[in-house]
Amino acid sequence: MEKESPLRPATPDPRGSTPAAPPGPVEVRRSARRRTTVSARREGDRTVVLIPDRMSRAEEERWVAVMLERLAAKDGRRRPGDAELTERATELSARFLAGKARPASVRWVTNQNSRWGSCTPAEGTIRLSHRLQGMPEYVVDYVLLHELAHLLVPGHGPRFWQLLDAYPRTERARGYLEGVAAAERLPHPPEPAD
């Protein structure tokens, strides 16, 4: 999602802190059509900052820092840690699985790039891919509930899908994830001039 800011001088941070490093490379795109806004968004592992073409290099540097800080703050609000993930798993199990799924651990991992989550029923462990961080809450809830259901039913048979029928946003979440997966496989078209 794009975050836009009207052009105005950035106010220095009184604490003197510097913004957190972005998760990947930063790309600055200048546009002759863009006049009064600066925006930033995540595109895969990149952060793209869109600025007016007339902006000086010093203004560019200042606005890139401001927008990276804003995105980092927004990401921080959206990305629960392992403790919050475990708490959410307990809530979802109680609400949709009658509290029967009791994981021993629930955590984010960075080594799952081809799946959204995994579960080891024998150990009671659930791992969610870091790629879910920043996605809508209902999508993360669906993946978490999917893995919780695996604690009760290891395979993907009818009994497994009956458990997930209780979650009202199952189809919407699956569609969202399918869209993300499809977009990751598509070549990125050239950016039109802004």
Side-chain angles (χ1 to χ4, degrees), residues 100-132:
K100 293 177 184 173
R102 295 185 187 104
S105 72
V106 182
R107 62 190 175 96
W108 294 108
V109 294
T110 58
N111 63 350
Q112 288 189 18
N113 294 315
S114 61
R115 52 172 69 176
W116 300 113
S118 63
C119 173
T120 306
E123 297 173 8
T125 58
I126 292 175
R127 295 157 306 280
L128 296 188
S129 172
H130 72 286
R131 297 180 315 140
L132 289 166

Side-chain angles (χ1 to χ4, degrees), residues 81-194:
D82 291 349
E84 292 87 1
L85 205 53
T86 300
E87 183 179 317
R88 187 64 183 156
T90 301
E91 292 170 11
L92 290 169
S93 177
R95 186 170 177 195
F96 298 105
L97 303 172
K100 293 177 184 173
R102 295 185 187 104
S105 72
V106 182
R107 62 190 175 96
W108 294 108
V109 294
T110 58
N111 63 350
Q112 288 189 18
N113 294 315
S114 61
R115 52 172 69 176
W116 300 113
S118 63
C119 173
T120 306
E123 297 173 8
T125 58
I126 292 175
R127 295 157 306 280
L128 296 188
S129 172
H130 72 286
R131 297 180 315 140
L132 289 166
Q133 293 177 324
M135 288 189 186
E137 188 175 275
Y138 74 92
V139 175
V140 177
D141 282 354
Y142 164 74
V143 175
L144 189 50
L145 190 59
H146 182 108
E147 300 310 330
L148 285 165
H150 278 308
L151 291 176
L152 305 174
V153 179
H156 288 105
R159 187 167 162 247
F160 173 84
W161 293 110
Q162 285 175 343
L163 291 174
L164 287 181
D165 282 345
Y167 185 61
R169 293 185 163 184
T170 292
E171 289 306 313
R172 184 175 179 194
R174 287 175 57 105
Y176 185 98
L177 293 170
E178 287 171 10
V180 170
E184 288 174 353
R185 289 189 300 268
L186 292 174
H188 291 286
E191 281 291 318
D194 243 346

Side-chain angles (χ1 to χ4, degrees), residues 20-43:
V26 176
E27 178 183 335
V28 176
R29 295 182 190 158
R30 291 178 170 267
S31 169
R33 289 181 27 198
R34 185 176 284 269
R35 301 228 184 269
T36 60
T37 60
V38 173
S39 64
R41 65 178 178 246
R42 305 275 192 226
E43 287 184 3

Side-chain angles (χ1 to χ4, degrees), residues 5-62:
S5 292
L7 286 177
R8 62 180 185 277
T11 54
D13 185 344
R15 298 171 306 230
S17 66
T18 57
V26 176
E27 178 183 335
V28 176
R29 295 182 190 158
R30 291 178 170 267
S31 169
R33 289 181 27 198
R34 185 176 284 269
R35 301 228 184 269
T36 60
T37 60
V38 173
S39 64
R41 65 178 178 246
R42 305 275 192 226
E43 287 184 3
D45 66 342
R46 294 181 302 162
T47 301
V48 177
V49 179
L50 302 126
I51 63 172
D53 191 41
R54 63 178 176 76
M55 191 174 277
S56 71
R57 293 289 173 204
E59 289 174 311
E60 173 185 321
E61 285 181 26
R62 184 176 67 234

